Amino acid sequence: MSDFPLYALSEEHQAVRAAVRTVCDAKVAPNAASVDESGQFPQASYDALAAADFAAPHIPEEYGGAGADALATCIVIEEVARACASSSLIPSVNKLGTMPLLLAGSDDLRKRYLAPVAANSGMFSYCLSEPEAGSDAAAMKTRAVRDGDAYVLNGVKRWITNAGVSQYYTVFAVTDPERKQAGISAFVVEKDDAGVSFGAPEKKLGIKGSPTREVYLDDVRVPTDRMIGEENTGFATAMRTLDHTRVTIAAQAVGIAQGALDYALGYARERKQFGRPIADFQGLQFMLADMGMKVEAARQLTYAAAGRSERNDSDLTFFGAAAKCFASDTAMQVTTDAVQVLGGYGYTHDYPAERMMRDAKITQIYEGTNQVQRIVMARQLLQGVQSELRQTAPRRTAPP
Ligand SMILES: Cc1cc2nc3c(=O)[nH]c(=O)nc-3n(C[C@H](O)[C@H](O)[C@H](O)COP(=O)(O)OP(=O)(O)OC[C@H]3O[C@@H](n4cnc5c(N)ncnc54)[C@H](O)[C@@H]3O)c2cc1C
């Protein structure tokens, strides 16, 4: 028998969890209610995460980063989300914005743009969605037209997380309108580039501390050496990015759900009705049991997907979609049940359960709605992409 902990986290991964939880308990959780109330970017969380190398932990060591693998990055995001969902958008969107560079960028481009993120002198946002191009992202209208040694970008990007706060933006734009998704390219745009501006922050249901704004591109000249990968390969890069980062949204959802479960358990032990703690009532125990069961199932699927992300396995597309969909549906159920466990108190701003319920909702929507995840999963299944484990099983065929 090997010494490897069978189907368990390594000591290193457990140590990452302990370290990030310490930072979050002390410096992130205390701000969660106030950033939700004020809608301000959680600068104190950013400062604390940056100081401990948790703001963009996935950046490889060769670019000055901490070099966290995909599973360790998920654990960081999960623990931050358990404390404050808005703050968890800091490590997760830094990964989303930089993943196109990691997947397709030249070494020179990576050196120029990953090093400042690793050094915490700027964050990265990801600009795919537009007012008329959400689930159908390939319907984007933002144009990039070659002009000498630059591309000139014009258009509007919508729903961009951390826009205005981030220094760097991965922008997807049409370079060949005849070819639809095969005519889209990816660029690095800087906040200070002439012609870049931002809309007012959206007024949202949840993750209120994470600014979401439109990004306006008005004759923005981007040097050709800031194109990520080859011309017209941007859409493939955008989709491959989401395969990896949907796993991080799953981790965020697991963290939000765990935070709600932890709070509900503590409350159920303390709150007395009929002369006994409400935790004594079997009706409530069954609800708590279901919550715990679902959170653990979501966590296991998320970590299995994280392993596939790290190895870049061929079935990552299925696993990323499945983990994101299952974990976000779980987060919505578990946070709603947490409000129920708290009764009337759960419905007020004086307790965190309703905030967690509002925060959970976005995980079912962004990086592709859960309807889109089911489309992605079905397509993968019908194409015969199966998990590596099941590849050894006898192949099923349709009945005659
Ligand atoms: C807070 C927030 C932050 C975000 N951050 C970013 C970001 O940083 N970068 C970025 O690029 N984008 C971001 N987004 C955009 C997000 O990814 C989109 O909102 C999402 O993909 C859905 O697009 P849509 O809003 O246009 O909805 P639509 O595409 O209009 O969908 C509306 C409804 O129709 C359903 N639907 C659509 N097509 C189908 C279909 N074929 N089959 C079945 N049902 C379908 C959807 O599931 C949904 O229920 C963010 C959004 C929000 C709200």
Side-chain angles (χ1 to χ4, degrees), residues 126 128-129 134-135 159-161 204 362 366-367 369 371 375:
Y126 177 88
L128 180 67
S129 305
S135 300
W159 309 116
I160 306 309
T161 300
K204 308 192 297 289
I362 191 59
Y366 57 19
E367 297 210 18
T369 65
Q371 285 75 30
I375 294 170

Side-chain angles (χ1 to χ4, degrees), residues 89 93 96 125-137 157-163 170 172 202 204 206-207 210-213 242 246 362 364-373 375:
L89 271 297
V93 175
L96 175 65
S125 289
Y126 177 88
C127 306
L128 180 67
S129 305
E130 296 187 2
E132 304 303 326
S135 300
D136 183 10
K157 290 293 174 180
R158 181 128 222 229
W159 309 116
I160 306 309
T161 300
N162 293 342
T170 302
F172 298 90
E202 303 290 344
K204 308 192 297 289
I207 55 162
S210 172
T212 313
R213 299 172 188 248
L242 295 177
R246 281 170 181 157
I362 191 59
Q364 295 181 303
I365 295 173
Y366 57 19
E367 297 210 18
T369 65
N370 282 3
Q371 285 75 30
V372 167
Q373 305 308 322
I375 294 170

Side-chain angles (χ1 to χ4, degrees), residues 227-309:
M227 180 180 273
I228 304 170
E230 298 294 313
E231 193 177 59
N232 297 330
T233 61
F235 195 74
T237 303
M239 294 301 110
R240 196 61 184 157
T241 292
L242 295 177
D243 285 344
H244 289 273
T245 57
R246 281 170 181 157
V247 186
T248 68
I249 301 302
Q252 181 189 37
V254 169
I256 295 170
Q258 185 68 57
L261 173 61
D262 291 347
Y263 197 86
L265 287 168
Y267 187 90
R269 287 192 201 100
E270 296 292 323
R271 172 71 173 170
K272 289 200 173 79
Q273 288 293 279
F274 303 97
R276 299 156 66 184
I278 58 171
D280 283 358
F281 301 125
Q282 199 179 51
L284 215 67
Q285 288 177 359
F286 283 6
M287 192 186 286
L288 293 169
D290 281 347
M291 291 161 75
M293 174 178 69
K294 286 173 191 166
V295 172
E296 202 49 60
R299 178 176 288 116
Q300 296 303 320
L301 182 55
T302 301
Y303 291 1
R308 283 164 170 82
S309 168

